[in-house]
Amino acid sequence: YLTVNIEPLPPVVAGDAVTLKCNFKTDGRMREIVWYRVTDGGTIKQKIFTFDAMFSTNYSHMENYRKREDLVYQSTVRLPEVRISDNGPYECHVGIYDRATREKVVLASGNIFLNVMAPPTSIEVLAAGSPAPFSRYQAQNFTLVCIVSGGKPAPMVYFKRDGEPIDAVPLSELPSASSGPLHDSRPFRSLLHRDLDDTKMQKSLSLLDTEYRAGRPYTERPPRSLTPDPSLILQPTTENIPETVVSREFPRWVHSAEPVYFLRHSRTPGSDGTVEVRALLTWTLNPQIDNEALFSCEVKHPALSMPMQAEVTLVAPKGPKIVMTPSRARVGDTVRILVHGFQNEVFPEPMFTWTRVGSRLLDGSAEFDGKELVLERVPAELNGSMYRCTAQNPLGSTDTHTRLIVFENPNIPRGTEDSNGSTSGPSGVRLTLVLTLTVVLELT
């Protein structure tokens, strides 16, 4: 007789050492032991170990537990550092000689599925649709995306706010950002006592008074009425702005109830057997409450001894640091004005808009989107011009102004520059033409 079975194994973690054990009982003489790794759904069997009793008398690979009463043998295969690619079925085949004739071999086999787990290798939290503008006059939906890669099987992903688990409504599809505020029938719960104290409320309301003043921050424009309010009409006055101005603005709409969160998961299998999981958390953003709120994405996985997490704090931009090069600009220089960070850590990534106060930019455009404004071959007419940088994200907006001082260039005589920064002679003939005439005289 011959019976074969492989000892079952629990799921193992990639990198661990694994031993496959094949136990068999027989009262006959052993012919061979063969281990196979089965691939492609059982169509291919890869031989990983063979013992042939005809050509070898070395039994050191087997731990012989033979006893007179049961005749038990064991063959083991050790995988010193198991990988995800080792995941799959394995078979142990044993052959013994038939008692009637040595020409006939009796075969039996056992099988096992080796389940190799792998913990996630990376986790990050992003803001969907970033960079995005600040919405002053209506609520907008906001989505955090948590991306977890490298795990097998797929991990469990969930969100927390300020250390507390978020009770989210599961969704098969997330609503679009323009679909309006999200609602749910759950009980009303207020966050004002936790995130919006009297000082913050008074400060935000006081800043609302500057909305219609001259030089107010550039943001989304409100809907215009055919009959304007006389009290809101600006008088034609000269804009008085110091060298650097930083302003903050807050929306007029305020929701005191805790937002309703919606959660959606998606899974993308990888070619190596791992799964990428994306968890999308969406709610109606309230900058009054959500600014400086801490959100964390946490991951639970059977291959992890403790949860993996990534944190982000929603923060509106504040106090952009503007660097101008060269520091002493001269006529004809190329000037670069760059936002070089903020006074705080900003999330999500802000968007930047440059405008020139009271006029258009050097290239004739009304505004420029980007972190760096480049002014090529600045003319003397730009001396004293003021530039406004608006940095905004869905949590808020801030404006910073800087003044451009243009000094004389000793290499360019006074009065030989037009409004485009090109030089010209006293009679209006450009410098390039004067140089051409000089060359002709020398050749003559």
Side-chain angles (χ1 to χ4, degrees):
Y1 68 91
L2 174 62
T3 59
V4 179
N5 73 289
I6 302 180
E7 292 186 10
L9 280 176
V12 297
V13 180
D16 291 351
V18 177
T19 299
L20 304 178
K21 299 180 180 180
C22 177
N23 301 319
F24 56 96
K25 297 181 180 180
T26 182
D27 60 351
R29 294 184 57 188
M30 186 171 56
R31 170 65 177 85
E32 64 179 1
I33 302 173
V34 182
W35 281 88
Y36 292 96
R37 181 189 172 195
V38 183
T39 58
D40 292 340
T43 59
I44 299 178
K45 293 185 179 181
Q46 177 185 2
K47 189 179 297 185
I48 59 175
F49 174 79
T50 301
F51 172 78
D52 194 326
M54 289 186 62
F55 302 100
S56 174
T57 57
N58 182 15
Y59 285 77
S60 60
H61 75 285
M62 290 195 304
E63 299 177 23
N64 191 341
Y65 293 99
R66 180 173 182 176
K67 298 179 181 179
R68 291 177 180 267
E69 58 274 17
D70 51 17
L71 302 174
V72 178
Y73 296 83
Q74 185 181 74
S75 174
T76 60
V77 171
R78 178 180 170 84
L79 304 177
E81 189 173 344
V82 71
R83 298 171 296 181
I84 297 180
S85 57
D86 295 327
N87 185 87
Y90 290 78
E91 294 182 357
C92 172
H93 292 242
V94 178
I96 62 170
Y97 288 111
D98 187 272
R99 285 186 173 184
T101 172
R102 291 180 59 90
E103 302 297 328
K104 185 178 180 181
V105 177
V106 178
L107 297 175
S109 64
N111 60 79
I112 187 176
F113 191 94
L114 180 62
N115 187 3
V116 181
M117 301 185 303
T121 56
S122 66
I123 178 175
E124 62 177 337
V125 179
L126 308 173
S130 182
F134 173 66
S135 178
R136 182 179 179 84
Y137 293 96
Q138 66 178 10
Q140 61 179 338
N141 296 336
F142 184 77
T143 300
L144 286 177
V145 183
C146 181
I147 304 175
V148 184
S149 304
K152 178 184 177 296
M156 183 179 71
V157 184
Y158 56 95
F159 284 90
K160 289 184 177 180
R161 173 176 174 148
D162 298 326
E164 297 294 331
I166 295 177
D167 181 17
V169 178
L171 279 183
S172 57
E173 288 188 14
L174 287 176
S176 62
S178 59
S179 61
L182 303 175
H183 300 284
D184 187 45
S185 58
R186 298 190 296 180
F188 171 88
R189 284 179 291 178
S190 176
L191 284 180
L192 289 179
H193 68 281
R194 184 179 70 184
D195 295 319
L196 193 60
D197 57 20
D198 294 339
T199 304
K200 188 172 182 180
M201 175 64 80
Q202 292 173 4
K203 179 181 177 182
S204 62
L205 294 179
S206 64
L207 290 177
L208 285 174
D209 296 336
T210 66
E211 177 185 353
Y212 294 105
R213 295 179 184 174
R216 70 179 180 86
Y218 169 83
T219 53
E220 180 183 348
R221 293 176 176 83
R224 295 184 178 181
S225 173
L226 296 178
T227 306
D229 187 349
S231 64
L232 300 180
I233 299 179
L234 296 178
Q235 299 298 326
T237 58
T238 303
E239 188 171 16
N240 184 15
I241 303 178
E243 294 300 316
T244 301
V245 176
V246 178
S247 59
R248 289 287 308 281
E249 60 175 334
F250 294 85
R252 284 195 172 278
W253 44 269
V254 176
H255 299 290
S256 59
E258 181 178 358
V260 179
Y261 295 96
F262 295 87
L263 183 63
R264 176 177 178 263
H265 288 90
S266 65
R267 298 180 179 182
T268 305
S271 58
D272 58 352
T274 61
V275 180
E276 179 186 272
V277 176
R278 294 190 175 219
L280 291 80
L281 183 72
T282 299
W283 73 99
T284 301
L285 189 70
N286 185 351
Q288 293 285 80
I289 295 176
D290 293 330
N291 190 38
E292 299 183 0
L294 174 65
F295 286 83
S296 61
C297 172
E298 297 195 3
V299 174
K300 286 186 178 180
H301 192 273
L304 293 173
S305 58
M306 60 185 301
M308 175 188 292
Q309 72 172 15
E311 296 179 341
V312 293
T313 302
L314 304 187
V315 181
K318 180 181 179 182
K321 301 176 183 178
I322 294 183
V323 177
M324 184 182 299
T325 55
S327 57
R328 184 182 175 88
R330 300 184 301 180
V331 173
D333 287 348
T334 295
V335 177
R336 299 178 181 272
I337 310 177
L338 173 68
V339 179
H340 189 68
F342 295 86
Q343 295 179 2
N344 57 343
E345 294 291 334
V346 179
F347 183 89
E349 175 189 1
M351 59 187 306
F352 304 91
T353 303
W354 293 90
T355 55
R356 180 182 173 187
V357 178
S359 181
R360 289 182 171 269
L361 297 174
L362 184 58
D363 60 0
S365 60
E367 61 185 33
F368 172 78
D369 295 327
K371 197 173 184 178
E372 182 183 51
L373 176 65
V374 179
L375 305 174
E376 296 185 353
R377 299 187 301 275
V378 293
E381 285 80 356
L382 288 186
N383 182 36
S385 57
M386 183 75 72
Y387 294 88
R388 176 192 294 120
C389 175
T390 300
Q392 57 182 322
N393 68 5
L395 277 303
S397 174
T398 180
D399 283 5
T400 299
H401 295 75
T402 186
R403 191 183 301 277
L404 174 62
I405 305 299
V406 182
F407 295 89
E408 293 184 2
N409 192 337
N411 298 324
I412 303 177
R414 180 180 296 182
T416 61
E417 180 188 354
D418 58 22
S419 60
N420 294 323
S422 303
T423 56
S424 60
S427 60
V429 181
R430 292 188 180 276
L431 183 60
T432 54
L433 180 58
V434 176
L435 292 177
T436 304
L437 295 175
T438 304
V439 172
V440 172
L441 291 176
E442 290 178 352
L443 291 176
T444 303

